[in-house]
Amino acid sequence: MHTVDTVLPATNITPSPVTVGTGPVSVADVVAVARHDAPVLLGDDARAAVAASRATIEVLATDTAPHYGISTGFGALATTFIDAADRTRLQQSLVRSHAAGSGPEVERETVRALMLLRLSTLLTGRTGIRLSTAEAYAGLLNAGITPIVREYGSLGCSGDLAPLAHCALALMGEGTVRDRAGTELPAADALAAAGLEPVLLAEKEGLALINGTDGMLGQLSLALHDLQTLFSTADVAAAMSIEALLGSDAVFAADLAGLRPQLGQQASAENLRHLLAGSPIVASHQTPECTRVQDAYSLRCAPQVHGAARDTVEHAGRIADRELASAIDNPVVTLDGRVESNGNFHGAPVAYVLDFLAIAVADVASMSERRTDRMLDPARNNGLPAFLAHDVGVDSGLMIAQYTAAGIVSELKRLAVPASVDSIPSSAMQEDHVSMGWHAARKLRTGIDGLARVLGIEIMTASRALDLRAPLKPGPATGAVLAEVRRGVAGPGPDRFLSPEIESVAASARSGALLDAAQTMTGSLY
């Protein structure tokens, strides 16, 4: 599966440290550490909780009775007692054998996100890990050392085992990593260069390092951050297309939206009212001579679709917040000192919402592409030249830009097929139902990249259409977005190399630059 790194504007601002305690980190914390290399600090409450739960593990390690994960094997070998002399080798063997990923390298920000979330669970005091091991894990993050994690290996049950095992392997000074500069090198060399010592794992620690939903949750957190921007940018794109197509803003009235109390729809309709306020183009055709009664659904129903997508993000955010507050490990050390097996590592809650979001992403992109196509069709674009070409017949204009959007939308529809219903058994049928949450996260990540490109193509198309409406001018907000587009993309003219222009506008959609331009005139949009 194709994966991408998120394009972000360059910044020289040093991010504030993120303190990880016994409580949850936030989506904003995940973004700060994963994307902006915010330093990680260990809270005093976490230090005390880790020390207390480790004392429980050390007592049980001396017991002659078997305790899962402490003095036994794992999975289908959970009934096999392991002598004390072999337990360090047991933990190391667990990590080495589970670091079995294959395929393309996973993005740096994804790896850093999952590492922060695993550290957060370690610091709840429910995993029995040693404080020194947690400190060493934080040391990897703060040194900018990123273990190389491969695309395939997680089934999303017993956690994201292979991705987390690759990270634990680096903690042991084994495997391969990238340093802060992006250079690939052996983990032992990277640790030495950073002044860090490899960790010799003790009882329970191998399990504690790999048994979580952190990979899928980290990607969900990053996705929620990105979709807040992109779904608002979809409203910006729709507003520009509505102007370009001489559409009406009357359908977005507050009293009409209030007849259907869907919160996301009402927020989107309010955004569109602000974005189209004061538009000379909209005002130009609000006359008795205008005979059109209704706009096409891709214009008129934008709040209904964009709003439903927003509501899906809100639901996914609630699930993410609960998972961020969770202590996922098996077994866990309870508050009263018991060590108990459980099934909390099953990724179903996270997997479901990752799949829900992929559906919303595909549908918002599909509606965007329909608006783009409408602007290029002289039978439907209310007086604009075919394909917005400079010399129709000689020039093709933006014809193939729409092909690109259509091809992306077709892929997004395939990516909207849920991964979470595709369980496949493993571990000699001990793990006979799995969530596939990692795979749901991977396809959502690709989908978000595609959505940014489709919205970019719509905004690029609408910008050319608005220029062709001269001497009529767009409203203040859409005009500000048009000016931002023109910083990197020239206006109408003879055919030219379009690919760099698409990349420029897509990057501006993804980074939030287009939304920010609109908000200079509207204030904060939903």
Side-chain angles (χ1 to χ4, degrees):
M1 183 180 294
H2 170 68
T3 57
V4 294
D5 278 306
T6 300
V7 177
L8 295 167
T11 176
N12 294 319
I13 300 173
T14 301
S16 299
V18 170
T19 299
V20 185
T22 56
V25 295
S26 66
V27 167
D29 292 333
V30 174
V31 173
V33 173
R35 290 186 174 163
H36 305 295
D37 283 15
V40 174
L41 304 176
L42 275 60
D44 290 340
D45 59 335
R47 292 176 181 275
V50 168
S53 64
R54 184 61 200 178
T56 299
I57 296 298
E58 290 179 352
V59 168
L60 292 175
T62 64
D63 193 350
T64 56
H67 296 278
Y68 176 66
I70 300 170
S71 55
T72 72
F74 312 111
L77 304 177
T79 59
T80 303
F81 184 81
I82 307 297
D83 291 331
D86 292 327
R87 290 175 192 167
T88 289
R89 186 162 59 90
L90 169 70
Q91 300 296 322
Q92 292 175 316
S93 295
L94 174 71
V95 171
R96 289 168 182 151
S97 65
H98 283 54
S102 182
E105 189 175 335
V106 172
E107 314 81 24
R108 180 179 190 267
E109 69 174 29
T110 296
V111 178
R112 288 182 61 82
L114 76 87
M115 290 179 69
L116 173 68
L117 295 175
R118 181 66 336 210
L119 178 64
S120 180
T121 285
L122 297 177
L123 294 178
T124 62
R126 307 276 63 81
T127 72
I129 203 164
R130 293 173 298 169
L131 179 59
S132 60
T133 302
E135 290 172 332
Y137 206 77
L140 290 180
L141 283 166
N142 289 335
I145 296 172
T146 305
I148 290 180
V149 172
R150 300 295 176 183
E151 179 81 10
Y152 303 107
S154 173
L155 299 181
C157 198
S158 287
D160 292 312
L161 289 174
L164 284 163
H166 280 267
C167 297
L169 193 68
L171 188 70
M172 293 163 48
E174 300 179 22
T176 53
V177 301
R178 293 193 183 276
D179 63 15
R180 195 182 296 277
T183 303
E184 181 177 346
L185 70 166
D189 294 347
L191 292 177
L196 302 174
E197 292 290 332
V199 173
L200 188 63
L201 300 179
E203 293 94 344
K204 178 66 174 64
E205 291 193 310
L207 268 182
L209 288 166
I210 69 172
N211 220 329
T213 57
D214 310 289
M216 63 185 92
L217 178 59
Q219 290 173 91
L220 174 59
S221 299
L222 295 170
L224 290 170
H225 174 83
D226 293 341
L227 290 174
Q228 293 285 353
T229 295
L230 288 175
F231 286 160
S232 294
T233 301
D235 287 339
V236 172
M240 295 178 75
S241 296
I242 288 163
E243 278 188 302
L245 289 164
L246 304 183
S248 172
D249 63 348
V251 294
F252 309 131
D255 61 341
L256 296 178
L259 294 173
R260 189 188 201 185
Q262 298 287 357
L263 299 183
Q265 175 183 326
Q266 292 183 348
S268 181
E270 184 170 344
N271 281 351
L272 285 163
R273 292 197 299 274
H274 289 311
L275 288 161
L276 292 168
S279 167
I281 293 179
V282 170
S284 71
H285 57 87
Q286 291 178 333
T287 65
E289 291 75 27
C290 182
T291 58
R292 283 181 293 119
V293 177
Q294 294 182 330
D295 291 325
Y297 287 6
S298 60
L299 308 182
R300 191 179 0 144
C301 301
Q304 285 74 17
V305 172
H306 298 179
R310 275 185 172 77
D311 290 339
T312 303
V313 165
E314 183 179 357
H315 170 63
R318 287 196 297 271
I319 299 300
D321 286 344
R322 294 170 191 162
E323 197 74 3
L324 289 166
S326 301
I328 305 296
D329 195 13
N330 181 47
V332 292
V333 183
T334 64
L335 287 170
D336 61 1
R338 299 173 2 258
V339 176
E340 297 285 358
S341 293
N342 66 89
N344 287 337
F345 47 71
H346 197 291
V350 181
Y352 289 172
V353 294
L354 288 163
D355 280 335
F356 297 165
L357 289 172
I359 293 170
V361 162
D363 203 36
V364 170
S366 178
M367 180 174 258
S368 171
E369 183 275 330
R370 288 293 80 205
R371 292 190 294 262
T372 296
D373 182 68
R374 184 168 288 272
M375 284 184 280
L376 301 179
D377 182 357
R380 296 179 292 149
N381 66 15
N382 293 309
L384 294 170
F387 305 108
L388 307 185
H390 176 72
D391 185 354
V392 177
V394 174
D395 292 316
S396 294
L398 301 183
M399 178 193 295
I400 307 304
Q402 182 268 329
Y403 283 35
T404 299
I408 294 170
V409 167
S410 184
E411 181 177 5
L412 297 190
K413 291 174 183 177
R414 293 191 295 272
L415 294 174
V417 175
S420 56
V421 298
D422 191 28
S423 176
I424 188 166
S426 59
S427 192
M429 292 299 289
Q430 177 74 2
E431 300 169 10
D432 58 354
H433 186 279
V434 296
S435 78
M436 304 304 289
W438 172 270
H439 290 261
R442 301 308 290 159
K443 68 186 182 67
L444 175 61
R445 187 176 179 86
T446 303
I448 288 171
D449 176 69
L451 174 62
R453 295 177 189 281
V454 172
L455 291 175
I457 290 169
E458 180 185 0
I459 289 171
M460 183 183 77
T461 303
S463 295
R464 182 180 288 203
L466 289 172
D467 279 338
L468 291 171
R469 292 292 183 193
L472 290 173
K473 293 185 178 297
T478 53
V481 179
L482 173 57
E484 179 64 25
V485 170
R486 291 287 167 257
R487 286 162 50 89
V489 174
D495 283 354
R496 56 184 183 259
F497 185 24
L498 280 181
S499 181
E501 298 186 1
I502 293 172
E503 295 302 298
S504 173
V505 185
S508 295
R510 189 181 300 115
S511 71
L514 300 177
L515 178 61
D516 289 345
Q519 291 180 144
T520 61
M521 297 296 170
T522 62
S524 295
L525 295 169
Y526 292 103

